[in-house]
Amino acid sequence: MKDSKTSLFFFTLLICLPLHAKDGKHITANGELKALLLFIQFDDDSTTSSDAWPYDTLMLPEWCSVFVSPDTNSISDQFNISQYFDEMSFGKFQLTGDVYHEVVSPKHNQDYYKDIGEVNTEILTSLDSLIDYSLYDNWTGTGSERYINKPDGVVDMLFIIYRNFSNRLFYNNGWTGSAYLYLENDIETNDNVVINKGRMNSGLQLRGAKFGFNYTVYTAAHELGHFLFGGGHIEGITRLGLMTGGPVWNASRGMHSWEKEKLGWIKFTIADTTHNRSYALSDYMTTGDALKIPISSNEYYIVENRQKISRHDKAGDKGIYVYHILDRKISKPFITVLCADGNWNFSIDSELKKLKKDKPNPNGKSEMNFYKQVNGTGFSCNSQVYKDNSAWGDDTDAFDTRYNDVLSPVSNPPVSNKSGIPFTIEITDDHDGIVELNILFKNIYSGKPSKPRGLNTATDSLNNIVLNWLPNKEPDLDKYYIYRSDKNENLIIIDSLLAGHPDSSEIWIQPNPIKTSNSFNYAVSAVDHSGQESLKSAECEIQFDISGGIKITNHEYD
């Protein structure tokens, strides 16, 4: 390590009476957890350039020094890992800590060590005379996920954060972090406390701090989350939770309501499943307001209003997010995001390594949770193989009064559950960040129809305009309105078509229109027998060339 013998700056430890807590799997989820943070750099890491952490910095980059708050009184609106957990828990859980005051370097280059466990052991042992490890022993587990604020002779939490190191040292894998503290053996310190090796024991390690503050905060929070929840990840929710897994990795951000409720940090509002009821939801992330729709003992839906007020809310869209939950009672649940832009058929060109969204299919996958491996290559809706990064979430994921306001058994996506219990969610209003909605368990089609899907525009041999779309399946459907843009580019009703519920699609034909404009936009809406009209479908554009021919442009299913 470096020659400097400057001692560690210690901060006042919060003294309090024993506090009973519950619901953290391997650490307390309530009260103060005090940790030690070490930032590590190999001397031969010079090939890795970084503005966030320049190579061979003896003193810590500024962001490392403020990565964690030293005590509960210093947690504020300043963005760091302490503020993250304080905000997520609404003040119930405070992660505080001490940052060793300089960059620590292993004694040898990377090739000298057989694995990262050997490096960790060397570092923690060599610092034993400089650090009082007993300061980080404040909690005792009493079984059944309960903890008391009392030392037990074992260090509670160490963060060993590396600027970078090779895959070889991390057991030939590409992980950015691990909640398994790799050591050669348990370390008995000079301070009469033990640093235990192993999964969810005395600490964790990360690599990639060269990517800077935000990256390291969320990666560290994710790994600490394993101590709170145990192993496993929640697949398919990307930036909507902390314990996120595929198809997008390193996407952990603000915590999902399942996570907060699991730790006792919030309580769900339970929806009435016997009647039609109206609800008003405030911003979930800043208020903890979330609605649970119970279906069975281990199956339910969760509704969140995401307004992106919190800096940690990285949802792609503002509005109502709906999740279908299959809670296995162990590890993590299966959570499906019901994206407002629907489910689809996707096709893969494995030779060109391209992924394409083909056509709407209620039984297909959404852009957020589609993943398939072909010949060893993983395909998801990321810009490497797709038109954009929709797997990370986009601005058509949430339900609202403008883009998509109805989720029902016959919408796309549909309400579908193992118990076969039908219901409808209808968004009725949103103002000042508050969204109002109806949940219909009686007369589930008494609200407006869902928006038509799959609008496709074509021409026939006579240059007539031919529109076709997938039929709505509401039992009380009456007709469709056909919209076309006028010279002011406003969509106006030009015709209607009685609903026929054919097996394939609805078809409307307009004789070759008078070319009063260079282009027209078309859309359709659905109308029920009560006169309630759905939102309009996605638009299709038709352009006229100089010779009078018709050209279909900007066509993409939505």
Side-chain angles (χ1 to χ4, degrees), residues 100-236:
Y100 194 71
H101 65 279
E102 67 177 7
V103 175
V104 179
S105 290
K107 295 177 182 179
H108 308 281
N109 289 339
Q110 298 179 60
D111 289 344
Y112 175 86
Y113 300 97
K114 65 179 184 295
D115 54 42
I116 204 65
E118 185 180 5
V119 184
N120 289 342
T121 301
E122 175 194 288
I123 288 171
L124 294 175
T125 302
S126 65
L127 292 175
D128 197 359
S129 62
L130 300 175
I131 295 173
D132 183 357
Y133 287 116
S134 68
L135 289 175
Y136 311 103
D137 169 23
N138 298 289
W139 289 91
T140 298
T142 62
S144 300
E145 299 180 12
R146 296 186 66 88
Y147 305 87
I148 58 172
N149 196 187
K150 179 181 177 180
D152 63 356
V154 177
V155 170
D156 296 324
M157 183 53 56
L158 304 173
F159 287 78
I160 305 177
I161 304 175
Y162 286 85
R163 183 180 185 272
N164 191 52
F165 59 76
S166 69
N167 276 351
R168 183 187 66 82
L169 289 177
F170 219 170
Y171 308 94
N172 289 315
N173 67 65
W175 296 347
T176 55
S178 175
Y180 188 107
L181 182 58
Y182 291 101
L183 299 172
E184 293 185 295
N185 297 289
D186 293 346
I187 298 175
E188 296 185 5
T189 72
N190 297 331
D191 309 304
N192 297 318
V193 293
V194 176
I195 301 173
N196 278 346
K197 65 177 289 189
R199 185 170 302 282
M200 270 69 92
N201 266 302
S202 289
L204 56 87
Q205 60 272 301
L206 309 172
R207 66 169 171 174
K210 61 180 180 135
F211 294 119
F213 186 61
N214 280 17
Y215 175 92
T216 309
V217 163
Y218 289 119
T219 304
H222 174 97
E223 296 305 331
L224 188 65
H226 282 299
F227 285 80
L228 294 168
F229 298 105
H233 298 100
I234 303 174
E235 307 295 327

Side-chain angles (χ1 to χ4, degrees), residues 423-462:
F423 65 91
T424 292
I425 299 176
E426 180 184 14
I427 314 301
T428 58
D429 192 18
D430 57 89
H431 56 87
D432 300 326
I434 298 174
V435 179
E436 297 179 10
L437 52 92
N438 294 329
I439 300 184
L440 311 176
F441 273 90
K442 299 293 184 181
N443 304 318
I444 62 174
Y445 299 113
S446 58
K448 63 167 61 176
S450 57
K451 66 184 285 187
R453 295 285 192 176
L455 178 64
N456 187 19
T457 310
T459 58
D460 60 17
S461 60
L462 300 177

Side-chain angles (χ1 to χ4, degrees), residues 339-388:
C339 294
D341 50 5
N343 295 337
W344 300 82
N345 288 337
F346 291 87
S347 61
I348 294 173
D349 186 328
S350 56
E351 184 175 342
L352 295 177
K353 293 187 177 180
K354 292 295 181 181
L355 174 66
K356 182 182 178 182
K357 185 170 66 174
D358 284 335
K359 63 181 181 179
N361 176 9
N363 299 315
K365 293 285 189 178
S366 74
E367 290 179 310
M368 187 173 287
N369 62 36
F370 176 83
Y371 179 80
K372 187 175 182 180
Q373 276 209 349
V374 178
N375 298 327
T377 299
F379 288 85
S380 61
C381 296
N382 286 302
S383 57
Q384 294 91 332
V385 299
Y386 192 62
K387 61 184 177 64
D388 53 32

